[in-house]
Amino acid sequence: MALFKEFVLTLKEVATGAVLWAVGPPMENDLERLRRSVEGRVVLITGASYGQGEATARLFAAAGARVILAARTKARLDEIAAEIAAAGGTAFSYSVDFSDLDAVDSFAARVLEEHSGVDVLVHNAGKSLRRSVYRSAERLRDMDAMVGVNFTGPMRLTLALLPSMKLSRGAHIINIATAGLWLTPVAPRWSFYIACKAGFDTWLRSIALEVRGDGIDVTTIYAGHIKSRMVATRWVSRMPGHTPDQAARILAYAASRRPRAMAPRSMFVVRVLGVIFEAPLAQVMSYVDSRSGETSASEAAYARAMAKELADAQPIGAGS
């Protein structure tokens, strides 16, 4: 019986490995290679308070990098930085809202003043929102936040840090995009998210052609499903995907090997099929969308947002 259980566990591990091989970009198994790439270097990671951002910060710090943690929640970042330091690593925490461009400029100025520059910039922060266009029209401030976090914020940060990265020997920019840009260029209820991600992806790949001659490499990771807090819909959460620790090893692969792009291996086939069958695929998506509604998570988020907006609009002392 014990032998049978061991066989079943081994079979399960092999099957899991095969699924991850198909649905995700390659992961770095040679952590010494990562150490040779980042040891002693300043690595700035946005969205570092949870999920793959936190896991990447811990992994890179363990490999000897001087890690800068950036996100909105300062208390959480301080906790992670303290744990990294207790484990023998070096980490610094900064609170910044990437939808606030003035805050991004101030953050970049502090980083340059206190660390002289950045060697590796990891654009991991993101804001996901599944919502119909009609609901979006009622919550324009949410759309502005989406544009800031996913597009203009990281663009502004990149522009502020590029001159110092040019002076660094072999600087590197890593961007976490989405596999959705490979699957299909459009999707109902994801319009703002895909548009913002596509905008920054196009901008970054364009400037990569300019900065390559300055020794700055750019890697775009078209990430598959990451089991993180940002996943709200049940059907997505049930799909095979990577844990934050596994996702961190994908970023480690990017940092140590510096490919131009990384994507789930199966996506190359899916991308070709998406181009060939673009018209019928669009019809199917439109049909399915017409017979579905907002998810419970989307409804709850919308209700909270509207309640907060109503409360903010109440004059002081109203209702007392």
Side-chain angles (χ1 to χ4, degrees):
M1 180 63 70
L3 185 61
F4 177 73
K5 288 183 178 180
E6 184 177 343
F7 172 75
V8 171
L9 288 174
T10 301
L11 191 62
K12 185 177 180 180
E13 289 178 1
V14 171
T16 300
V19 170
L20 291 181
W21 184 92
V23 302
M27 293 182 285
E28 182 61 81
N29 296 314
D30 184 356
L31 297 185
E32 280 303 312
R33 181 165 185 160
L34 174 64
R35 179 175 292 277
R36 292 193 296 271
S37 300
V38 302
E39 187 171 25
R41 311 201 83 194
V42 177
V43 179
L44 193 164
I45 304 172
T46 68
S49 54
Y50 293 95
Q52 70 179 359
E54 175 191 352
T56 300
R58 293 182 186 276
L59 180 61
F60 280 40
R66 299 175 62 236
V67 179
I68 296 175
L69 314 173
R72 288 184 302 173
T73 312
K74 185 66 162 61
R76 174 61 180 162
L77 295 178
D78 288 343
E79 179 183 342
I80 297 170
E83 291 173 357
I84 288 175
T90 304
F92 309 88
S93 62
Y94 294 84
S95 175
V96 56
D97 180 355
F98 286 97
S99 66
D100 182 342
L101 296 185
D102 290 335
V104 173
D105 289 341
S106 298
F107 165 64
R110 282 191 62 193
V111 168
L112 292 175
E113 179 182 356
E114 297 173 12
H115 302 278
S116 299
V118 170
D119 300 302
V120 181
L121 172 59
V122 180
H123 287 299
N124 172 71
K127 184 177 179 63
S128 175
L129 182 65
R130 180 186 183 275
R131 182 177 291 171
S132 73
V133 66
Y134 301 105
R135 283 282 177 86
S136 298
E138 298 174 15
R139 290 288 305 169
L140 293 180
R141 67 172 64 180
D142 291 344
M143 303 304 103
D144 291 340
M146 287 276 288
V147 173
V149 174
N150 294 317
F151 189 2
T152 54
M155 180 172 65
R156 192 74 157 248
L157 179 61
T158 304
L159 290 172
L161 297 179
L162 267 179
S164 71
M165 298 184 78
K166 183 178 179 180
L167 301 177
S168 172
R169 291 182 296 176
H172 191 194
I173 301 172
I174 302 173
N175 178 42
I176 310 300
T178 172
L181 299 180
W182 283 58
L183 286 169
T184 171
V186 294
R189 300 179 191 268
W190 293 99
S191 55
F192 263 90
Y193 177 70
I194 292 179
C196 295
K197 282 291 189 179
F200 184 67
D201 173 56
T202 301
W203 178 80
L204 189 61
R205 288 188 295 112
S206 297
I207 70 161
L209 305 179
E210 299 182 49
V211 302
R212 182 181 301 165
D214 299 319
I216 303 174
D217 292 323
V218 175
T219 299
T220 301
I221 301 176
Y222 298 95
H225 171 42
I226 307 298
K227 296 184 179 298
S228 66
R229 298 193 318 158
M230 199 165 72
V231 176
T233 54
R234 291 181 180 177
W235 68 269
V236 173
S237 63
R238 293 193 185 106
M239 293 175 62
H242 294 77
T243 65
D245 287 341
Q246 291 168 334
R249 286 170 53 202
I250 294 175
L251 271 76
Y253 187 100
S256 60
R257 300 168 192 263
R258 300 191 174 211
R260 182 187 60 82
M262 295 173 63
R265 295 172 177 88
S266 60
M267 288 302 161
F268 292 95
V269 176
V270 175
R271 189 180 192 189
V272 172
L273 293 176
V275 173
I276 295 174
F277 299 103
E278 180 179 357
L281 179 61
Q283 291 179 343
V284 169
M285 288 193 295
S286 181
Y287 176 83
V288 172
D289 179 68
S290 68
R291 282 156 178 75
S292 63
E294 304 286 356
T295 63
S296 57
S298 178
E299 287 283 11
Y302 179 79
R304 288 195 301 270
M306 294 303 290
K308 184 178 185 303
E309 184 172 296
L310 182 62
D312 291 342
Q314 288 277 358
I316 297 176
S320 59

